[in-house]
């Protein structure tokens, strides 16, 4: 018998039933809940007089909608306030642990799961959010679901699922100095296109992936959905075990070693066969930004804005022209010459402590360009507290950055942090869709290092340009 | 959900690729706790443009949306499906779809019709030439047709999705029939739960 992929191992362990002619019923180990995609699901439960089957496998936090103003400031938007209150009320009614705004464990759902150690290898994890793929960095099968499925998991702790196809994305060799996990995943998305991963679960492999920290792996897995894949995975290794050791949700002492031994089995077998495979050479990856309105529209920081004429496919030519018009860009413009209005460092892609350390190192002792609004939104209260212990907040504030309370913030502009029409933003988030960060706003996805350097220079820049 | 056998109506061509769920329903609309009323937010940024296809008189009242490749990519927001249905759409025809969007659609009874890109182009051509053209999406026979021109294309749905659409079955009710199997699985599961991890105030001791 041929070996199994990591995906197949997790899948096989979670099959509750596989009735003839129906999708497999898959058990869900951990269900993460937030305020935006859950209220209608809780209403559905009430309507049918159904309890939450496993409140002890369900964990909720406020994130999408929370203002990032000081916690003492009330939530000014009544509709947002109502949604945040609804989460607390629903969790109280159904017996679910919830971290409301200001709670020490509150933060972006994909930041708090790993940092609390409740995200563990071999688990199935779902959340009503497409960036749930983040947790795949731990060798967990994690994917986003809609509100009907949120209700389904609340009621049954299972989901009917069709088995996905498997795709190996191997990033071989070492990435050059200055190339981050964000640049690697942008290169992968540029290669696959926004639909290339559809119907697949991606396993990221190869030297460059193995060489990433857990935070870097989370950045890569986070953006799997931007290539159309619902989930991304990285095999368990010493980095995974090392990250989890000592976290609140994992056992201590010998029990940890027992758990770790089991976790180490969550790797693809050497003779496992993937349905498809691509290989990238990390040594050719360069610091990059997105220029357009989908995350596959990537260009080197040292490059120029592309022209519609570069594309053979008429559909792609039209899409390119439309993206350029929306973004207010002219083909041939040097990326480094494009001025910026806003720099946002945050989101479930890049708001963890390492991201903040990288950015702080670039801005230390320097000033944000006068015309730029720059903000840092830590991914969680724990990240914020850690950063403050290390004095990173002082560095950012001294440089002219805003240092804000945790949440999804300007990644999707549901809270008061959003772009004004026409504003151009270098953002460490995951989506550059039209209007994503605010109506008429223009988003360029970048790494934390490039975001920090660009804030100082007032245009797209690499860290080595800062302070010349 | 309500059973759906045939969707019959006029169609509207949305000639764009990569229509993501942020375009279908911008995030401002996601603050609401209700499940209804999202139709007003459908494509709200584009609808400010009087020339936008949904604003054109000849397409008002259409029930079938015909769009370019990768429709519904991005965010998992089911609000996108609620918005399309609340606006009056009952089926979407496109060459490809975002996985989560397609899945969400199947839970609400919005029929996802995936056909080849050139077939979508042909259908758009027919509809553009005559916006009163009647289009038919048949879930029973798994085909999309323009009877007036004898135009017919088959599409596929996984058998369970088709059954659920035809019968209006509630997924949760179906799964609850498997209570025995779920309980049996849970008795042997090794994945730790969160029991005892947090106190009543959510603090980890």
């Amino acid at each position: 018998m041929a070996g199994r992929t990591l995906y197949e191992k997790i899948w096989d362990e979670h099959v509750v039933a596989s009735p003839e002619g129906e999708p497999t019923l898959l058990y869900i180990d951990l269900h993460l809940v937030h305020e935006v995609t859950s209220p209608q699901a809780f209403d559905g439960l009430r309507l049918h007089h159904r309890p939450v089957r496993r409140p002890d496998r369900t964990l909720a936090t406020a994130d999408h909608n929370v203002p990032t103003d000081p916690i003492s400031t009330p939530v000014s938007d009544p509709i947002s306030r109502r949604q945040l209150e609804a989460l607390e009320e629903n969790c109280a009614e159904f017996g679910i642990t919830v971290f409301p705004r200001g709670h020490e464990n509150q933060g972006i759902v994909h930041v708090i799961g790993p940092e609390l150690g409740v995200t563990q290898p071999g688990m199935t994890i779902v959340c009503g959010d497409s960036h749930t793929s983040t947790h795949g960095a731990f060798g967990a099968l994690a994917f986003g679901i809609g509100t009907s499925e949120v209700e389904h998991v609340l009621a049954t702790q299972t989901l009917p699922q069709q088995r996905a196809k498997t795709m190996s994305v191997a990033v071989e060799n070492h990435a050059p100095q200055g190339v981050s996990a964000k640049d690697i995943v942008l290169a992968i998305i540029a290669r696959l296109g926004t639909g290339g991963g559809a119907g697949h679960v991606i396993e990221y492999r190869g030297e460059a992936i193995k060489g990433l920290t857990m935070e870097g792996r989370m950045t890569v897995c986070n953006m799997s959905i931007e290539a159309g894949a619902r989930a991304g995975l990285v095999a368990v290794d010493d980095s995974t075990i090392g990250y989890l050791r000592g976290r609140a949700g994992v056992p201590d002492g010998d029990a940890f070693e027992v758990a770790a031994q089991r976790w180490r089995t969550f790797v693809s077998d050497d003779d496992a066969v993937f349905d498809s495979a691509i290989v990238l050479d990390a040594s050719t990856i360069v610091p990059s930004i997105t220029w357009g309105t989908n995350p596959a529209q990537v260009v080197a920081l040292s490059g120029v804005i592309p022209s519609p004429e570069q594309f053979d496919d008429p559909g792609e030519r039209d899409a390119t022209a439309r993206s350029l018009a929306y973004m207010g860009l002219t083909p041939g413009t040097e990326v480094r010459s494009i001025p910026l209005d806003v720099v946002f460092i945050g989101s479930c892609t890049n708001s963890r402590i390492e991201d903040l350390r990288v950015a702080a190192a670039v801005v230390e002792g320097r000033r944000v360009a006068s015309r730029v609004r720059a903000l840092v939104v830590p991914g969680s209260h724990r990240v914020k507290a850690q950063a403050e212990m290390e004095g990173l907040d002082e560095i950012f504030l001294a440089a002219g950055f805003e240092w804000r309370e945790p949440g999804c913030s300007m990644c999707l502009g549901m809270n008061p942090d959003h772009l004004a029409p026409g504003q151009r933003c270098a953002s460490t988030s995951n989506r550059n869709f039209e209007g994503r960060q605010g109506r008429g706003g223009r988003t360029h996805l970048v790494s934390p290092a490039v975001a920090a350097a660009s804030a100082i220079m007032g245009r797209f820049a690499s860290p080595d340009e800062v302070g010349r | 959900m309500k059973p759906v056998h045939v969707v019959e109506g006029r169609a509207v061509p949305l000639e764009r690729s990569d229509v993501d769920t942020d375009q279908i329903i911008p995030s401002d609309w996601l603050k609401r706790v209700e499940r209804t009323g999202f139709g007003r937010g459908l494509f709200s940024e584009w609808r400010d443009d009087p020339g936008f296809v949904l604003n054109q008189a000849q397409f008002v009242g259409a029930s079938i949306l015909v769009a370019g490749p990768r429709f519904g990519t991005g965010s998992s927001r089911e609000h996108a499906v609620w918005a399309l249905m609340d606006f009056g759409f009952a089926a979407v025809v496109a060459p490809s779809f975002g996985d989560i969007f397609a899945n969400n659609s199947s839970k609400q009874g919005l029929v996802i019709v995936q056909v080849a890109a050139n077939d979508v182009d042909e259908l758009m051509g027919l509809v553009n030439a005559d916006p009163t053209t009647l289009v038919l999406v048949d879930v029973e026979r798994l085909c999309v047709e323009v009877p007036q021109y004898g135009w017919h294309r088959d599409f596929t749905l996984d058998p369970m999705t088709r059954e659920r659409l035809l019968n209006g079955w509630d997924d949760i009710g179906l799964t609850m029939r498997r209570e025995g199997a779920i309980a049996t699985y849970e008795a042997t599961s090794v994945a730790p739960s969160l029991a005892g991890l947090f106190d009543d105030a959510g603090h980890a001791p």
Side-chain angles (χ1 to χ4, degrees):
Chain A
M1 189 177 112
R4 291 180 300 164
T5 63
L6 170 52
Y7 170 69
E8 289 159 341
K9 288 183 184 180
I10 302 173
W11 175 278
D12 290 349
E13 254 193 32
H14 288 85
V15 174
V16 169
S18 39
E20 186 69 33
E22 291 182 32
T24 298
L25 196 61
L26 208 64
Y27 197 75
I28 303 303
D29 293 324
L30 177 65
H31 184 190
L32 301 167
V33 172
H34 63 85
E35 75 276 21
V36 172
T37 53
S38 67
Q40 296 87 353
F42 284 113
D43 278 347
L45 292 182
R46 270 188 291 268
L47 192 67
H48 295 94
H49 306 289
R50 287 167 175 155
V52 171
R53 183 184 176 87
R54 295 296 300 266
D56 63 335
R57 293 194 177 281
T58 313
L59 187 63
T61 188
D63 63 2
H64 280 62
N65 213 341
V66 290
T68 57
D69 301 321
I71 302 299
S72 56
T73 321
V75 181
S76 57
D77 178 349
I79 311 174
S80 293
R81 190 167 63 232
R82 178 69 207 107
Q83 195 173 54
L84 291 163
E85 287 165 358
L87 180 69
E88 289 187 61
E89 290 161 11
N90 285 326
C91 289
E93 180 182 341
F94 288 95
I96 296 166
T97 299
V98 59
F99 308 135
R101 179 176 179 230
H103 191 285
E104 66 181 18
N105 290 330
Q106 182 262 332
I108 305 175
V109 64
H110 310 310
V111 175
I112 68 163
E115 79 182 2
L116 290 169
V118 299
T119 295
Q120 294 176 13
M123 277 185 164
T124 46
I125 302 175
V126 297
C127 174
D129 187 276
S130 60
H131 293 111
T132 307
S133 56
T134 310
H135 307 261
F138 292 82
L141 176 59
F143 53 91
I145 56 179
T147 297
S148 291
E149 290 179 311
V150 169
E151 185 180 339
H152 194 285
V153 177
L154 288 171
T156 70
Q157 205 58 36
T158 64
L159 270 183
Q161 285 290 298
Q162 304 283 359
R163 196 148 156 159
K165 293 194 181 107
T166 55
M167 178 186 289
S168 162
V169 173
V171 189
E172 302 294 0
N173 304 320
H174 290 292
Q177 187 74 24
V179 170
S180 69
K182 185 66 159 282
D183 300 308
I184 292 175
V185 72
L186 287 177
I188 293 169
I189 298 163
R191 169 80 172 272
L192 283 174
T194 54
H200 289 79
V201 167
I202 294 175
E203 183 175 333
Y204 300 99
R205 322 169 83 199
E207 248 177 286
I209 301 295
K210 289 197 192 92
L212 290 173
T213 63
M214 290 313 293
E215 305 212 341
R217 293 178 191 181
M218 282 188 252
T219 300
V220 171
C221 287
N222 173 274
M223 292 187 71
S224 302
I225 185 71
E226 309 326 328
R230 271 179 93 170
L233 290 165
V234 176
V236 174
D237 63 8
D238 290 343
S239 301
T240 324
I241 309 290
Y243 178 98
L244 288 170
R245 194 185 299 276
R247 304 263 163 194
V250 304
D252 293 329
D254 288 348
F256 180 82
E257 301 311 325
V258 172
Q261 205 170 356
R262 197 179 83 80
W263 292 340
R264 284 185 192 280
T265 64
F266 292 105
V267 296
S268 289
D269 294 329
D270 289 340
D271 56 343
V273 179
F274 290 84
D275 294 308
S276 61
I278 65 162
V279 179
L280 280 82
D281 178 357
S283 68
T284 65
I285 298 176
V286 294
S288 301
I289 70 158
T290 62
W291 60 265
T293 55
N294 79 56
Q297 292 172 321
V298 175
V299 65
L301 181 62
S302 59
V304 297
I305 299 301
S307 156
E309 276 68 53
Q310 284 170 240
F311 300 92
D312 295 333
D313 176 65
E316 210 163 337
R317 265 202 306 273
D318 287 354
T320 301
R322 185 176 290 131
S323 292
L324 288 170
Y326 181 85
M327 295 299 287
L329 291 170
T330 311
T333 308
E334 279 191 33
V335 168
R336 280 195 167 101
S337 71
I338 299 169
L340 292 163
D341 304 301
V342 177
V343 170
F344 170 63
I345 298 178
S347 89
C348 57
T349 314
N350 283 124
S351 65
R352 298 179 180 83
I353 189 67
E354 284 178 14
D355 300 315
L356 304 192
R357 286 179 190 143
V358 165
V362 174
V363 306
E364 185 162 18
R366 304 192 165 96
R367 287 289 301 171
V368 170
S370 57
R371 61 188 297 273
V372 172
R373 178 192 179 198
L375 57 163
V376 182
V377 181
S380 70
H381 275 288
R382 285 173 180 251
V383 169
K384 182 166 183 271
Q386 175 70 30
E388 289 175 354
M389 208 175 74
E390 297 177 18
L392 306 186
D393 57 327
E394 297 297 333
I395 294 172
F396 284 118
L397 287 165
F401 276 84
E402 298 171 33
W403 178 251
R404 304 189 69 91
E405 294 297 323
C408 298
S409 179
M410 201 183 270
C411 173
L412 82 167
M414 272 193 82
N415 75 350
D417 309 333
H418 47 72
L419 299 180
Q423 278 191 323
R424 188 177 303 285
C425 178
S427 176
T428 65
S429 56
N430 41 56
R431 288 192 174 130
N432 53 348
F433 297 157
E434 283 183 32
R436 169 78 177 181
Q437 295 190 291
R439 202 183 176 96
R442 294 161 171 167
T443 302
H444 298 268
L445 306 178
V446 298
S447 69
V450 169
S454 302
I456 304 299
M457 302 302 283
R459 56 165 177 85
F460 290 108
S462 66
D464 58 16
E465 291 175 76
V466 173
R468 259 187 208 161
Chain B
M1 67 184 180
K2 285 194 197 129
V4 45
H5 292 263
V6 177
V7 177
E8 194 175 5
R10 285 177 295 114
V12 51
L14 180 61
E15 295 177 47
R16 294 182 188 225
S17 65
D18 295 285
V19 176
D20 57 72
T21 52
D22 274 79
Q23 308 319 317
I24 299 173
I25 186 88
S27 66
D28 228 19
W29 283 84
L30 272 49
K31 298 173 187 173
R32 302 172 74 253
V33 295
E34 299 83 8
R35 201 184 276 254
T36 53
F38 287 94
R40 282 183 297 131
L42 182 73
F43 300 121
S44 67
E45 297 199 8
W46 293 342
R47 273 163 69 195
D48 283 354
D49 169 8
F52 180 56
V53 67
L54 259 62
N55 290 333
Q56 294 172 19
Q58 69 270 32
F59 294 118
V60 169
S63 56
I64 298 167
L65 184 67
V66 187
R70 298 175 295 279
F71 184 86
T73 51
S75 154
S76 65
R77 58 189 72 169
E78 197 161 310
H79 311 65
V81 179
W82 301 336
L84 285 162
M85 295 185 79
D86 192 49
F87 190 82
F89 289 114
V92 185
V93 183
S96 56
F97 292 90
D99 280 352
I100 306 178
F101 173 81
N103 209 43
N104 289 342
S105 298
S106 78
K107 310 292 178 187
Q108 293 297 318
L110 179 68
V111 184
I112 293 300
V113 181
Q114 189 169 347
V115 294
N118 55 328
D119 293 332
V120 169
D121 290 345
E122 279 182 30
L123 183 58
M124 283 184 179
L126 296 177
V127 171
N128 274 323
D130 177 7
T132 66
T133 302
L134 210 62
V135 180
L136 200 134
V137 171
D138 191 324
V139 178
E140 189 92 49
R141 296 186 295 131
L142 291 177
C143 61
V144 51
E145 294 178 326
V146 183
Q148 188 181 339
Y149 300 105
W151 190 90
H152 171 110
R153 297 292 181 273
D154 295 324
F155 68 95
T156 57
L157 282 178
D158 79 83
M160 192 61 190
T161 298
R162 178 172 167 274
E163 282 300 305
R164 286 180 36 255
L165 287 173
L166 291 172
N167 294 289
W169 281 337
D170 163 25
D171 241 5
I172 297 177
L174 289 178
T175 296
M176 283 185 154
R177 294 174 309 160
R178 312 259 173 224
E179 169 57 33
I182 299 172
T184 303
Y185 179 90
E186 285 181 327
T188 61
S189 167
V190 292
S193 80
L194 305 173
L197 185 55
F198 302 103
D199 64 21
D200 287 347
H203 303 296

